[in-house]
Amino acid sequence: KQGAYTIPNSVTSIGNSAFEDCSGLSAITIPNSVTSIGDWAFSSCYYLQSVSLSNGLITIGRSAFGWCSRLKSITIPETVTRIGENAFISTDLSSIRCLGITPPAASELELRTDKCILIVPTEAYTDYLNHAYWGQFLKIVNCQVSLSINNENWGIVSGDGYYTENEIVTLTATPNEGCYFAQWSDGN
């Protein structure tokens, strides 16, 4: 049976291979008290789908999340300064959100940089773009557009997603029959 696990606040580091091959792990929450994740700590956790990393984390070890094939996205806290080689080898990550203003040291994470979106803070966009490793991502974005509609029976909206600053975005509102588009709103 797959389940979620929260690391206790008393833990300050997750050792090498601590959860390796843990087939019952589907979600992990790592608290602020943890400053390092060891090599292969969560490797081959095939059912791992959700990872919540908190500020306080400084290093992610080699192959730490390797072969976690169901992991689709991850957010790297702003406190992370180093990510080990192959940290995400053989995953199918579609997005990585890096919150750090300074790009974490990384060399080869074994990611499909042609398919994975890298989401970065606006003020750090140029630093990630010019970084020897992070700059290899084909899609580095720093803006998110989220759309919603008051009532789905009225129609649909499209155009939300991740974009780069100054990129022209087309938003479309398509009303259902008998309805009409009134206006866009910023939620206020």
Side-chain angles (χ1 to χ4, degrees), residues 61-96:
R62 288 180 296 151
S63 302
F65 295 97
W67 302 278
C68 295
S69 55
R70 295 183 185 199
L71 188 60
K72 301 299 179 203
S73 66
I74 194 164
T75 297
I76 307 296
E78 62 185 310
T79 53
V80 171
T81 60
R82 187 186 67 75
I83 302 174
E85 290 182 7
N86 302 325
F88 304 107
I89 189 171
S90 293
T91 62
D92 197 20
L93 284 173
S94 58
S95 69
I96 293 181

Side-chain angles (χ1 to χ4, degrees), residues 31-117:
N32 292 345
S33 60
V34 173
T35 59
S36 66
I37 296 174
D39 298 343
W40 304 284
F42 296 95
S43 71
S44 301
C45 292
Y46 300 110
Y47 294 100
L48 185 61
Q49 298 175 37
S50 173
V51 174
S52 177
L53 304 174
S54 298
N55 274 336
L57 183 63
I58 297 170
T59 61
I60 298 173
R62 288 180 296 151
S63 302
F65 295 97
W67 302 278
C68 295
S69 55
R70 295 183 185 199
L71 188 60
K72 301 299 179 203
S73 66
I74 194 164
T75 297
I76 307 296
E78 62 185 310
T79 53
V80 171
T81 60
R82 187 186 67 75
I83 302 174
E85 290 182 7
N86 302 325
F88 304 107
I89 189 171
S90 293
T91 62
D92 197 20
L93 284 173
S94 58
S95 69
I96 293 181
R97 178 183 294 268
C98 283
L99 300 179
I101 300 302
T102 301
S107 58
E108 190 52 57
L109 305 182
E110 288 297 327
L111 283 170
R112 294 287 313 266
T113 56
D114 59 332
K115 295 188 179 203
C116 184
I117 296 172

